[in-house]
Amino acid sequence: MCGIHLIWGKGANKESIDVLLEAGRHRGPDQEASLSPWPGLWVGVNRLKIKHPGPEADQPFWSPDGNYFLIWNGEIYNFQSLGKQLEMMGVTLITRSDTEVLMHWLRIFGNKGLETIEGMYSLILVNLIEKSILVARDKNGEKPLYFSQDPDRLIISSDARGIHKIKKTTIDSDQFGYYFYLRTPLPGKTLFKGVREWKANRNSWIHQHSTFRWDTIAPKVSSELNPSISTFREELQIVVDRQFQADVPVGIQLSGGADSALLYTLWYQQTGIKLPAYTIQPEEKYRKKYNDGIAATRFLSQIPADHQLLEVNQQSLLSNWEDYLQSIDVPVGDSAGFLTWMIGKEAKKNVKVMISGAGADELWGGYRRHQAFDFYLKNKKILLSLRQVLQKLPLGREGHKFFSSIRSDSRRTFLNFEALRPVPHELAEDFERLFQAKEITYLDALDFDRQNYLVQDILRIQDSALMAHGIEGRAPYLDERMIRLQKSVQDPEVLKGKPWIKSSLRDLDLAWIANRKKTGFGLPLQEWFREDGPFSQHAFQSIKAFEKTHGQDFPKEMRELARNPESGVKNHFLILYNLFLIADWLNLQES
């Protein structure tokens, strides 16, 4: 894991690259370097040493002839097999690092070589002969990358704040509406004007004064896969074996839920090696409802680990809040971000790699909104005919959310299910363009979740929260092998409710986890907002102050709630946290 940075064109100098290096220092505290390979181009790197921690794999990593060098962020899981192919081609490898393999692979095969790489990455390969660069981001968007392009300058960085500081940009208030409803800026945007996200699965060879010509990485298609529960177990075991390996200590986030429990069980039964494991639990009075700690403790009575329960309460949140906000370059209104950050703060004492179950829900249909959308598609006509009547009945928060969200347009319906509130037409149109068809299927909805919600929320949280403490986050369910298997499934029922994950747990004598109700990973926000305690007092004060300074740029519903946040405690506590986070984050940026 690392931070990578580049400035090409006007203002490219040592001082500017140092700004980017400082912004990304938390991403790579183990080694730092910058250089100018030709006038008008500066690059820099912050390295976190995971594979081959010796200096031989430091970056920039040069080709033996001095014509290429690589800076990059990530892990290549099939680097050993690629290395063997390189040696058969006559390439001499000096280190045991995936960095060296990746540099040679791209030097020889260019961006076409990305099709063979299995891993997570953002990278810049510099070709000194042609004075060009290859920029790429992995297929799933596990590793972040941002850029700004003007007619006379290109800036690229792993951290959006460094680009913001160089450009001296303002906050993009046009993103407030997207953030309010969907917890993140519009895909491809940030909250800084002119600072954009390099989209997942995109690469480009860039020459001086050229514009991007985007290429995408062709998906691998395997005719050998026979999608079945046994194939799933075999493939997942291979994935666990290779993703749990590192040259530094590895730990795991355990929620007591199905996804992380299955990963750790497969690891332990294969190796017998206990790993550090971390679980969040709230204060005692909330543990009956938020019972991850109880479930994880029960799980570890069967499958042992070096377990730590980390209690989070209102006081611990507020005492760590500013440090957390300082570590975020693109805020996500999801309290799982703060909890992951707290895990990273403790885990950094013992590990440098953290495994999570991220991606399982998006690939295998694990969210309640997936169940709701499936029900909607099967009963669309009758639901639409009764919507006006049923919406008025006392059906509870989830029932009201369901009936207020459904529309005749299936794209809009699923977007509303994903959002915190039904999305206004003028904002929804921007998201509807991301769907491949006007009427979408259940499988289309899963793909949308994987390409958008997963990238913008789950993976962004995992990366920023853990890298704030110099920890690499890994998501085995997003391994190339698992993606290929999921894409080969023909029966949609296999992609509803994670049946293969749950069946695997039952076979491992963990049926109680397979049957456990999904609770989500987050703070007890509704309870905290209901109390007249330090959390709600701070949050309400921040939200109201935010409305006074920026309310003129809010959508109508956002402004009404921000003026009177107390009114949203019962049904809109998730949105209140959303507003609280952006209010305090923005205050730090503008102070």
Side-chain angles (χ1 to χ4, degrees):
M1 285 299 165
C2 305
I4 60 173
H5 321 281
L6 175 146
I7 306 175
W8 195 355
K10 184 179 180 181
N13 52 47
K14 183 68 165 61
E15 292 73 21
S16 294
I17 204 69
D18 283 347
V19 170
L20 298 178
L21 286 167
E22 182 181 3
R25 193 157 288 145
H26 62 286
R27 302 190 61 85
D30 298 331
Q31 182 244 330
E32 184 173 294
S34 63
L35 64 93
S36 175
W38 62 76
L41 176 67
W42 273 87
V43 299
V45 61
N46 314 97
R47 184 185 176 207
L48 176 66
K49 298 184 178 183
I50 303 296
K51 291 262 179 68
H52 196 103
E56 300 86 0
D58 281 350
Q59 299 182 41
F61 195 94
W62 288 83
S63 62
D65 59 13
N67 292 333
Y68 296 84
F69 69 79
L70 173 72
I71 58 173
W72 78 294
N73 169 28
E75 295 289 339
I76 306 303
Y77 300 120
N78 65 334
F79 80 99
Q80 291 177 323
S81 64
L82 298 180
K84 289 178 183 178
Q85 293 181 55
L86 288 171
E87 288 177 325
M88 291 175 63
M89 295 166 60
V91 175
T92 300
L93 298 176
I94 300 171
T95 73
R96 296 178 292 106
S97 73
D98 52 354
T99 298
E100 182 177 17
V101 169
L102 181 60
M103 186 275 298
H104 282 297
W105 195 261
L106 296 176
R107 174 182 64 82
I108 294 170
F109 297 107
N111 59 338
K112 290 296 182 183
L114 296 169
E115 298 174 8
T116 321
I117 292 169
E118 298 179 5
M120 55 181 181
Y121 55 81
S122 58
L123 62 86
I124 299 173
L125 178 74
V126 178
N127 181 335
L128 281 80
I129 302 300
E130 297 182 0
K131 291 191 175 180
S132 62
I133 60 172
L134 172 63
V135 184
R137 189 179 180 200
D138 67 74
K139 301 172 188 177
N140 294 314
E142 292 187 68
K143 296 296 100 191
L145 197 63
Y146 303 97
F147 74 96
S148 172
Q149 187 181 34
D150 301 316
D152 54 2
R153 180 174 60 180
L154 171 65
I155 309 175
I156 300 174
S157 179
S158 299
D159 194 295
R161 289 168 301 186
I163 304 176
H164 164 65
K165 289 177 182 177
I166 291 175
K167 289 178 64 68
K168 297 180 173 61
T169 57
T170 58
I171 296 298
D172 186 357
S173 59
D174 290 342
Q175 300 306 312
F176 288 163
Y178 302 109
Y179 183 88
F180 176 75
Y181 290 99
L182 290 142
R183 302 199 277 206
T184 70
L186 186 69
K189 301 285 188 178
T190 71
L191 283 171
F192 302 119
K193 278 188 177 179
V195 181
R196 298 167 60 192
E197 176 190 26
W198 190 285
K199 291 186 178 181
N201 199 37
R202 283 191 170 179
N203 66 86
S204 181
W205 275 107
I206 305 171
H207 299 261
Q208 194 166 21
H209 305 305
S210 69
T211 56
F212 300 156
R213 189 185 70 221
W214 299 110
D215 288 315
T216 56
I217 304 165
K220 284 186 179 180
V221 180
S222 175
S223 58
E224 300 174 2
L225 283 174
N226 176 28
S228 65
I229 178 64
S230 60
T231 307
F232 173 81
R233 281 284 299 275
E234 291 169 3
E235 290 294 294
L236 188 58
Q237 185 68 66
I238 293 171
V239 166
V240 165
D241 291 345
R242 72 180 186 178
Q243 289 217 20
F244 276 61
Q245 300 290 340
D247 294 335
V248 294
V250 178
I252 186 167
Q253 287 181 245
L254 280 178
S255 65
D259 307 328
S260 57
L262 179 57
L263 293 175
Y264 186 68
T265 301
L266 293 177
W267 163 260
Y268 185 78
Q269 290 197 342
Q270 184 82 356
T271 67
I273 298 173
K274 293 194 299 183
L275 296 180
Y278 303 88
T279 307
I280 292 287
Q281 66 176 359
E283 55 261 58
E284 189 171 357
K285 60 183 176 180
Y286 301 132
R287 289 177 193 168
K288 184 176 181 180
K289 178 179 178 182
Y290 302 93
N291 55 8
D292 279 1
I294 297 171
T297 301
R298 179 181 174 184
F299 166 68
L300 292 169
S301 68
Q302 296 178 250
I303 311 293
D306 296 324
H307 191 217
Q308 290 192 54
L309 283 169
L310 308 177
E311 181 172 311
V312 174
N313 54 41
Q314 296 185 42
Q315 289 71 31
S316 62
L317 180 140
L318 293 175
S319 63
N320 286 279
W321 188 240
E322 184 170 338
D323 288 343
Y324 168 60
L325 295 177
Q326 293 280 16
S327 72
I328 301 171
D329 61 341
V330 179
V332 178
D334 185 339
S335 65
F338 176 77
L339 296 180
T340 305
W341 187 91
M342 289 293 285
I343 287 175
K345 181 180 180 181
E346 179 63 28
K348 69 180 179 182
K349 301 172 185 176
N350 301 301
V351 306
K352 292 187 77 171
V353 173
M354 184 70 72
I355 304 293
S356 82
D361 286 311
E362 289 79 7
L363 263 70
W364 303 98
Y367 290 126
R368 284 195 288 269
R369 64 174 170 270
H370 299 147
Q371 301 169 26
F373 190 65
D374 185 44
F375 181 75
Y376 157 84
L377 290 175
K378 291 176 178 177
N379 303 278
K380 183 175 178 179
K381 287 185 178 180
I382 190 170
L383 287 172
L384 290 172
S385 66
L386 297 175
R387 180 169 68 99
Q388 297 297 332
V389 175
L390 293 174
Q391 192 173 346
K392 297 176 182 178
L393 297 178
L395 300 174
R397 189 174 72 90
E398 290 190 6
H400 177 75
K401 170 75 185 304
F402 178 86
F403 285 106
S404 65
S405 296
I406 61 174
R407 302 286 188 274
S408 59
D409 186 328
S410 57
R411 297 172 303 174
R412 182 73 58 87
T413 298
F414 186 71
L415 182 63
N416 286 341
F417 285 166
E418 189 172 285
L420 299 174
R421 289 176 75 159
V423 182
H425 177 74
E426 61 273 14
L427 298 181
E429 285 185 317
D430 290 322
F431 281 89
E432 287 168 2
R433 298 187 189 104
L434 302 177
F435 290 105
Q436 300 300 312
K438 289 187 176 181
E439 285 298 321
I440 64 169
T441 66
Y442 178 82
L443 297 182
D444 293 330
L446 289 188
D447 281 343
F448 180 82
D449 248 3
R450 183 172 64 86
Q451 295 171 25
N452 292 280
Y453 175 77
L454 178 65
V455 177
Q456 303 300 318
D457 189 314
I458 304 300
L459 294 178
R460 183 173 279 164
I461 280 174
Q462 174 169 287
D463 181 84
S464 64
L466 294 178
M467 288 302 292
H469 303 291
I471 297 175
E472 172 183 295
R474 294 185 184 175
Y477 286 106
L478 295 178
D479 192 281
E480 179 75 21
R481 301 183 75 99
M482 299 306 296
I483 298 288
R484 287 205 300 271
L485 177 63
Q486 191 259 8
K487 289 294 184 184
S488 71
V489 171
Q490 300 297 315
D491 181 4
E493 296 304 313
V494 173
L495 304 177
K496 297 175 182 178
K498 302 188 291 192
W500 285 353
I501 291 175
K502 292 178 180 179
S503 179
S504 298
L505 287 167
R506 294 186 181 102
D507 291 343
L508 294 166
D509 196 27
L510 292 167
W512 67 270
I513 292 182
N515 300 331
R516 184 181 171 224
K517 182 180 178 182
K518 187 175 181 62
T519 58
F521 181 47
L523 294 163
L525 294 173
Q526 187 173 31
E527 292 78 7
W528 285 6
F529 277 119
R530 281 176 175 168
E531 295 179 9
D532 184 22
F535 173 80
S536 63
Q537 290 171 12
H538 184 161
F540 291 152
Q541 182 180 3
S542 294
I543 292 169
K544 290 175 182 177
F546 180 37
E547 189 279 326
K548 287 181 179 178
T549 55
H550 294 82
Q552 70 276 5
D553 297 317
F554 294 177
K556 180 182 177 182
E557 287 184 314
M558 181 177 180
R559 190 162 201 182
E560 288 175 353
L561 185 58
R563 281 175 170 166
N564 183 20
E566 293 86 352
S567 67
V569 168
K570 182 179 179 180
N571 293 317
H572 302 303
F573 51 90
L574 296 176
I575 300 179
L576 291 179
Y577 177 83
N578 198 10
L579 291 174
F580 173 41
L581 175 70
I582 193 173
D584 278 6
W585 178 85
L586 192 58
N587 188 50
L588 283 176
Q589 308 307 311
E590 297 178 339
S591 60

